[in-house]
Each structure stands twice: as structure tokens, then as C-alpha cells.
């Protein structure tokens, strides 16, 4: 892969994706072989929103490559609190570091940041926009468990605001994948994602009921439906309850169904699913380190 | 008022924008950045009977020649507009609008969570689609009501 920045999954070709996944597999097999790959690399972590997995896995990844990181810390403890613009913040941090990992609550933040700096910018989530590095580890997990050819994927939950969903949908268009999107009417895919899926010629169906499609799926990707997307608590509880799975619900699924979730989950996947062979979401989270090592290795 | 009468009331130098859809004249002025504060002399005819459009608007701007780039941006709200550049009371150039690939600094993104709506040193940028526009930052697609996005600041 040769990109100056990673902003959205739609900029990645199948060859780009496979190159990262292949390298991640090499790293996974022998991490020590990459321990000195980037001894002078310093990565800037700029998280304007809370993060556990993404921040810590990038931090771990750069250190496992022999490099190091500097962390902006929380918004409350930074100059952002004094009213500094994002453009100024990234320009300053670009002067200290060899690359910037950016998470921000506004859509388009990473696109704008990339216009102001000469070091690579990696989008670690921009509002309800994109989260392309999550997609790379999602695809790695799918490839390990179900393969990426002749694939049927169901994506369920908050499809409107879910940035991991938007990036995954874009990336799957480069593979031989049939996509089923399951959500309440009010949380259907946004217009721009549907537009891109249509333009790509992808095989896509939308549903409001998981039962319509569960038995066909190789992969079920579940996302959290957030309370704040609904006008009142009752409506939220009613809708969220319909898009929740437990071990009994998965009786109707194929034995080799892979269940994934970008985490954190609340109760959309019951804990009794954890004990089944379907559960791959913790493995998915673990894959964040080798996949982000592979990505950094290709960009720094 | 007829097309013929409008042609009679000539300007000495400047631009005449004709065949604008009825009611869009003020949006045309907003797109080309004229709000009266610059002292330009502007004549506006609104909802004038037109054989081609039913009702049309006409905008005449004295002492200002629109560039081809400015003309193309008008295609978003007035795809059938005709533009005459007038010098010494004569039409010296006739321009037709064509859809640009991108418009910068003209429209405001309707997504309140787009980075371009914040206090950042960045201009809005929209890719022009066959049936709408798409924000170059947050990817929001707008098909209808593009005129509502015109940045009047």
C-alpha cells in the first residue's frame, strides 16, 4: 500500500487491503521479527473522543515495531480546551511526530487534518463518518474465520451513525460479498453509503428483521444501538430489544456463523453467546495490534 | 414585461444572466458574492414571463464580468441560464453554464456535525454529482434544495 494518509476505507483497493492483511498474518506468526522494524518512529495519538481499544492498540502497535508514541491526552487537559482549532493542533503535533492517529467527533475531521500536515494522518474515527483501521482488523478476522470469497455478511444495529459499518460496507465492495443490512427504519444506512454501494454494483439487501436472513449468513456483524439516537427511553428500549441476540436466537444460524462486534457492547450480544463457537469479537479486538502494526509498517 | 422589453433596457458594461428559474435571482447574486455592500449596480427581474421556462428571473450586473468558473457554479441552481458579457452596450461574449466537477466556498454543508461547520480555517468543498452535490469532507449528499445551501456570509 502506498498512501500518504488513510482517511476512508473507500480509498483502499482489494490489493491494498490484502497487502495489509498478509503482512498482519506475518506479524501475528512471528511478532519478534518486527521488533526493530521502526526504531525511530514516533506516533502522535490525538483522540478528541474517548477510546480504549483503538488508542491502546495503536500505542501497542508502534511500540511492538520498536517505535514510540506521544499522546495528546484528553481534550480537557490540552490546548483544545483553550479554543485551539483542530488545524492548529495537528500542525503542531505533526512537527513532533512521524504520523498522526486522529479520532474526532466531527465528520470530515481527518480529511481536513490531512490538508494541513506533511506526515501521514490515520483516521481512527470521525464522528459518524469512517473508521478504516477497524475495518482492516474486521476483514482480517473475517478472512481468518470465513474467508473473503463467496461471502455472505449480515450487518445489524445502528447503520446510520455507525462509522465501523460505513467503512466495512465500502471495503466489502472490493470482495465477492453479498451484504445484508438489518436495522430499524430510523437507523438505515445513510444516503451516501447507499449511493456508493449502488455505484459499486454490490449485491445489497436491507431488512428490518434478522430472522429474514440469519440462516444464510457466514458472518454477522453486530453494532450497538445508542440511547442518544432516540427521542425517549421507551422507544429506545423497544427498538434496541429487537436487535439483540442471544445463544437461543443463534440456533437458527449456520453452525459456522462468525459473530463479530467492534466493541464496546452493552447488551446487544448476550453474554451467553460468548461461550459459543460463534463468538469471535474478542479475537477481533486482539487482531487490532497485528493489523495496526502492519498498517503502520506500510505507512511510516 | 417581455423578453423584448428586457433586451431594450441595456447596460453599458457588465453581465446579464438570463433564463434563471423563477425565484432564484437572489440566489444567483449570493453565488456570485453580491449582496449590495460592494456598491455594484444590479437590476433584477423576477418571475418574468418566458416562452422557455414559463417564469424566469433576469439579473443584470453593471461593471462586473463573471468568470467562466463563476458561471459554471450557477449551473447548480440555473442549469439553463444564458450569460451575456456586455461591453459598450454590445454583447461581446455569450456563455452557457456547464456543470463543474467541484464547487469550493459557495455552499454550506447541511450536516451540523461536519468539520466545515466548525471554527476551522477550511472552505466548504462539494463534488458535483449528476443529480446533486456531495460534501468533500463528510460525504453528505444533497439532491434537492441545493439553493438552501448557498453560503450568504
Amino acid at each position: 500500500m502506498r498512501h500518504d494518509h488513510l482517511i476512508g476505507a473507500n480509498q483502499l483497493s482489494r490489493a491494498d487491503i490484502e497487502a495489509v492483511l498478509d503482512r498482519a498474518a506475518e506479524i501475528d506468526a512471528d511478532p519478534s521479527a518486527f521488533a526493530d522494524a521502526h526504531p525511530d518512529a514516533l506516533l502522535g495519538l490525538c483522540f478528541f473522543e474517548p477510546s480504549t481499544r483503538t488508542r491502546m492498540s495503536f500505542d501497542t502497535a508502534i511500540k511492538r515495531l520498536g517505535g514510540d508514541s506521544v499522546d495528546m491526552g484528553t481534550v480537557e487537559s490540552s490546548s483544545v480546551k483553550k479554543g485551539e482549532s483542530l488545524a492548529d493542533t495537528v500542525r503542531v503535533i505533526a512537527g513532533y511526530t512521524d504520523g498522526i492517529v486522529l479520532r474526532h467527533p466531527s465528520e470530515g475531521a481527518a480529511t481536513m487534518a490531512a490538508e494541513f500536515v506533511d506526515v501521514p494522518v490515520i483516521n481512527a474515527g470521525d464522528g459518524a463518518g469512517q473508521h478504516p483501521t477497524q475495518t482492516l482488523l474486521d476483514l482480517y478476522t473475517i478472512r481468518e474465520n470465513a474467508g473473503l470469497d463467496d461471502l455472505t455478511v449480515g450487518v445489524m444495529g445502528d447503520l446510520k451513525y455507525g462509522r465501523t459499518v460505513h467503512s466495512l460496507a465500502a471495503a466489502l465492495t472490493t470482495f465477492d460479498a453479498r451484504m445484508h443490512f438489518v436495522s430499524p427504519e430510523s437507523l438505515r444506512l445513510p444516503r451516501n453509503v447507499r449511493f456508493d454501494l449502488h455505484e459499486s454494483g454490490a449485491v445489497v439487501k436491507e431488512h428490518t428483521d434478522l430472522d429474514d436472513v440469519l440462516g444464510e449468513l457466514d458472518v454477522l456483524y453486530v453494532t450497538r444501538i445508542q440511547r442518544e439516537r432516540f427521542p425517549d427511553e421507551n422507544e429506545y428500549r423497544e427498538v434496541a430489544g429487537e436487535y439483540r441476540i442471544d445463544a437461543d436466537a443463534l440456533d437458527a444460524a449456520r453452525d459456522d456463523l462468525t459473530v463479530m462486534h467492534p466493541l464496546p457492547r452493552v447488551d446487544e450480544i448476550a453474554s451467553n453467546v460468548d461461550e459459543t463457537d460463534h463468538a469471535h469479537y474478542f479475537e477481533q479486538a486482539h487482531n487490532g495490534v497485528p493489523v495496526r502494526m502492519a498498517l503502520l509498517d506500510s505507512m511510516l | 414585461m417581455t423578453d423584448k422589453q428586457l433586451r431594450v433596457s441595456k447596460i453599458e458594461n457588465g453581465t446579464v444572466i438570463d433564463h434563471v428559474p423563477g425565484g432564484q435571482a437572489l440566489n444567483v447574486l449570493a453565488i456570485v458574492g453580491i449582496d449590495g455592500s460592494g456598491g455594484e449596480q444590479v437590476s433584477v427581474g423576477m418571475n418574468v414571463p418566458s416562452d422557455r421556462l414559463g417564469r424566469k428571473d433576469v439579473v443584470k450586473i453593471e461593471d462586473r464580468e463573471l468568470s467562466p468558473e463563476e458561471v459554471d457554479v450557477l449551473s447548480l441552481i440555473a442549469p439553463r441560464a444564458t450569460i451575456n458579457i456586455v461591453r459598450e452596450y454590445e454583447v461581446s461574449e455569450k456563455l452557457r453554464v456547464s456543470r463543474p466537477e467541484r464547487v469550493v466556498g459557495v455552499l454550506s454543508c447541511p450536516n451540523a456535525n461536519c468539520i466545515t461547520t466548525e471554527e476551522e480555517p477550511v472552505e466548504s468543498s462539494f463534488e458535483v454529482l449528476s443529480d446533486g452535490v456531495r460534501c468533500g469532507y463528510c460525504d453528505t449528499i444533497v439532491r434537492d434544495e441545493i439553493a438552501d445551501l448557498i453560503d450568504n456570509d
Side-chain angles (χ1 to χ4, degrees):
Chain A
M1 189 173 77
R2 184 58 250 166
H3 292 291
D4 292 334
H5 308 286
L6 179 56
I7 307 299
N10 50 2
Q11 76 186 73
L12 298 174
S13 67
R14 179 174 180 145
D16 289 334
I17 293 167
E18 289 184 331
V20 173
L21 304 192
D22 289 346
R23 177 55 63 97
E26 287 177 43
I27 292 169
D28 221 359
D30 185 8
S32 61
F34 294 83
D36 296 316
H38 294 275
D40 299 320
L42 188 60
L43 191 64
L45 303 177
C46 302
F47 282 71
F48 291 74
E49 277 187 330
S51 167
T52 304
R53 279 155 297 280
T54 306
R55 184 200 297 252
M56 291 187 70
S57 66
F58 265 113
D59 195 23
T60 306
I62 189 65
K63 288 170 178 166
R64 290 263 167 89
L65 289 169
D68 206 346
S69 69
V70 285
D71 194 323
M72 184 186 87
T74 64
V75 167
E76 281 64 32
S77 66
S78 72
S79 288
V80 176
K81 190 73 176 169
K82 301 175 189 168
E84 186 176 52
S85 68
L86 173 63
D88 281 1
T89 301
V90 294
R91 274 184 285 200
V92 169
I93 294 172
Y96 305 152
T97 61
D98 303 302
I100 290 176
V101 178
L102 175 67
R103 171 169 291 184
H104 196 277
S106 297
E107 287 97 72
T111 303
M112 189 204 73
E115 293 174 356
F116 285 91
V117 300
D118 294 327
V119 301
V121 171
I122 297 173
N123 184 5
D126 60 329
Q130 291 268 327
H131 193 355
T133 68
Q134 175 72 41
T135 293
L136 289 169
L137 71 91
D138 293 341
L139 294 173
Y140 185 80
T141 309
I142 293 172
R143 190 171 79 165
E144 293 280 294
N145 290 285
L148 283 167
D149 292 308
D150 190 21
L151 182 71
T152 304
V153 180
V155 184
M156 183 172 80
D158 182 350
L159 310 183
K160 184 174 183 179
Y161 299 100
R163 57 194 173 203
T164 64
V165 172
H166 305 161
S167 288
L168 182 61
L172 284 173
T173 63
T174 67
F175 294 91
D176 176 20
R178 294 167 293 281
M179 290 179 247
H180 295 272
F181 293 97
V182 184
S183 73
E185 283 288 342
S186 61
L187 295 176
R188 288 175 65 199
L189 289 171
R191 180 185 275 175
N192 62 303
V193 176
R194 291 213 305 275
F195 177 87
D196 289 341
L197 288 170
H198 178 75
E199 290 285 296
S200 75
V203 179
V204 172
K205 287 186 179 169
E206 295 182 88
H207 313 264
T208 54
D209 190 343
L210 178 63
D211 293 341
D212 292 346
V213 72
L214 179 60
E216 299 175 33
L217 301 179
D218 298 305
V219 173
L220 174 60
Y221 191 96
V222 183
T223 65
R224 182 164 50 104
I225 292 179
Q226 296 178 56
R227 163 70 188 88
E228 58 266 33
R229 305 302 183 200
F230 290 86
D232 65 67
E233 183 73 21
N234 287 340
E235 191 179 337
Y236 160 69
R237 285 184 180 283
E238 191 176 323
V239 169
E242 289 177 30
Y243 296 90
R244 183 175 180 277
I245 60 166
D246 57 24
D248 289 343
L250 293 179
D251 283 346
R254 292 191 356 213
D255 290 343
D256 60 354
L257 171 73
T258 297
V259 175
M260 297 170 60
H261 192 300
L263 304 180
R265 67 172 159 175
V266 181
D267 60 358
E268 56 277 10
I269 299 179
S271 57
N272 63 7
V273 178
D274 302 355
E275 313 307 321
T276 71
D277 291 338
H278 298 300
H280 290 274
Y281 25 90
F282 293 114
E283 166 196 337
Q284 182 185 354
H286 297 163
N287 289 336
V289 172
V291 170
R292 289 183 170 117
M293 286 174 73
L295 179 71
L296 292 172
D297 185 50
S298 73
M299 292 184 76
L300 295 180
Chain B
M1 192 182 285
T2 66
D3 281 11
K4 189 172 182 181
Q5 283 173 305
L6 277 169
R7 282 196 295 273
V8 171
S9 54
K10 288 182 173 179
I11 59 175
E12 183 176 356
N13 293 295
T15 305
V16 177
I17 306 168
D18 201 352
H19 300 107
V20 174
Q24 292 292 340
L26 298 180
N27 286 326
V28 165
L29 289 171
I31 281 181
V32 298
I34 291 175
D35 62 4
S37 63
E40 302 92 343
Q41 289 185 48
V42 177
S43 307
V44 174
M46 296 183 84
N47 294 314
V48 177
S50 161
D51 291 343
R52 205 192 301 179
L53 297 177
R55 297 273 170 182
K56 68 173 184 178
D57 289 0
V58 184
V59 177
K60 299 182 178 188
I61 309 167
E62 300 265 6
D63 297 322
R64 165 88 179 268
E65 294 188 6
L66 295 188
S67 68
E69 291 76 21
E70 288 175 306
V71 167
D72 285 349
V73 175
L74 295 178
S75 71
L76 297 177
I77 60 165
R80 299 170 71 184
T82 54
I83 288 90
N84 290 338
I85 305 295
V86 178
R87 294 174 191 138
E88 300 292 331
Y89 295 107
E90 298 294 331
V91 174
S92 68
E93 278 183 72
K94 285 179 174 286
L95 303 173
R96 280 206 173 262
V97 300
S98 60
R99 283 179 91 76
E101 291 184 1
R102 185 166 289 279
V103 292
V104 176
V106 175
L107 306 175
S108 292
C109 186
N111 173 12
N113 208 40
C114 176
I115 193 72
T116 60
T117 67
E118 296 183 16
E119 294 294 321
E120 296 288 346
V122 63
E123 283 195 299
S124 73
S125 175
F126 283 80
E127 178 189 356
V128 179
L129 309 173
S130 61
D131 60 347
V133 293
R134 178 176 190 150
C135 177
Y137 290 89
C138 74
D139 282 333
T140 294
I141 292 176
V142 179
R143 293 211 170 91
D144 305 317
E145 314 299 338
I146 291 173
D148 292 347
L149 308 183
I150 294 168
D151 192 344
N152 290 308
D153 293 340

